[in-house]
Amino acid sequence: VVAPGTGDDSSARFAIHGLALHAMRPGAEAERQMLEGALIECLAEAKDAEVKAFVLEELRRVAQNPSVAPVSALLGDERLCEPATFVLLTIRTPEATAALAKALPQAKGKHLVTVVRALGELRDKGSAKNILPHASSEDAALRQAAWFALANIGEPAAAEVLAKAAESKTGYERSAGTALYLTLARRMAEAGDKDGSAKICRALMAARTAPRESNVYCSALATLVDASGAAALQEVLTALESKDLKISTAALQLLSGMEGVDLAAQLAPK
């Protein structure tokens, strides 16, 4: 494989790609290990950044923990940070997560956005405190990456900043912030903080009463039911009486799946 513009290496690239796909098949662990080792050697020997990027793309298909150290060494490289991050996301082991967390304090610019988002996808709770300040960044890409990461991690300390994000003046950020605020509520419920989750849902239901935002109300109500179960019955019954057809229909659907409550007596008069 040679640097772009210096020769025709299409056959070599095609062959390596075919090897990577072949080594991914079930029962080919010995071949996968062999190819991983060979690609790690290629990564060390290559001088051109584009050649290294190609090797990383193929390594991504077969990489496991032995690749963490050589790949994480490239996280500070202008060209290679993103493909290196993708490899670590594919490996998805505690060691791969730790490598990205270690790179976070030194990351700058677009590299910082890449690493923050990756740590959010990996739901690394240990990185939440270092990500939180970026949720108020002047840089929109970094700010939104931090919102995603904190929401997906389920960081309770991010509730205030995500509440503000959900009330952003720009349409896109308001929509994205609202969706991520609900993601935070779901993650908090999954972690056992049902009260914190319910607080977020009820706040959104109280604030989003306009017909154009009935989808937000419905999503918050569904999240509340998932988190609180029968404790959310009164909110669902209230929604059932809404003049907004979307909300009342959503309430009926939620009622049909609620367990542990005697609905007959309460539904009959309605």
Side-chain angles (χ1 to χ4, degrees), residues 15-234:
I16 293 170
H17 179 66
L19 283 170
L21 294 177
H22 190 61
M24 291 170 62
R25 73 190 192 283
E29 177 59 16
E31 293 174 20
R32 186 207 61 76
Q33 289 181 10
M34 178 181 67
L35 184 58
E36 181 184 22
L39 290 173
I40 290 172
E41 288 181 17
C42 290
L43 193 62
E45 294 171 3
K47 305 300 181 187
D48 183 80
E50 295 304 322
V51 172
K52 285 181 180 285
F54 168 76
V55 174
L56 285 168
E57 180 61 30
E58 300 307 327
L59 182 58
R60 183 181 177 186
R61 305 175 195 282
V62 295
Q64 289 190 10
N65 262 346
S67 295
V68 170
V71 170
S72 60
L74 302 173
L75 289 173
D77 186 277
E78 181 69 22
R79 170 65 182 88
L80 302 173
C81 176
E82 189 169 279
T85 298
F86 288 157
V87 175
L88 294 172
L89 277 173
T90 301
I91 296 172
R92 221 174 185 85
T93 60
E95 292 81 1
T97 301
L100 285 163
K102 184 179 179 180
L104 178 61
Q106 290 78 38
K108 306 291 183 185
K110 64 181 183 181
H111 296 169
L112 179 56
V113 175
T114 298
V115 173
V116 165
R117 186 165 186 88
L119 288 166
E121 289 187 22
L122 293 168
R123 298 175 66 174
D124 182 39
K125 291 187 177 296
S127 295
K129 66 180 184 301
N130 291 327
I131 294 173
L132 188 58
H134 299 305
S136 303
S137 172
E138 296 280 330
D139 184 309
L142 177 57
R143 181 171 66 246
Q144 292 163 18
W147 293 351
F148 163 77
L150 293 165
N152 205 41
I153 289 169
E155 174 53 49
E160 183 177 351
V161 73
L162 286 173
K164 290 180 180 177
E167 297 301 326
S168 298
K169 297 189 184 303
T170 61
Y172 173 76
E173 287 210 334
R174 180 180 174 86
S175 176
T178 299
L180 291 171
Y181 198 27
L182 281 168
T183 296
L184 175 65
R186 287 191 289 272
R187 295 290 182 258
M188 289 172 64
E190 290 167 5
D193 186 2
K194 297 185 183 298
D195 290 343
S197 174
K199 182 178 179 181
I200 292 173
C201 295
R202 290 186 173 113
L204 281 171
M205 290 164 60
R208 305 301 176 90
T209 56
R212 68 180 183 277
E213 292 194 299
S214 58
N215 62 310
V216 176
Y217 188 102
C218 293
S219 294
L221 182 62
T223 303
L224 178 64
V225 170
D226 284 344
S228 304
L233 177 60
Q234 192 54 55

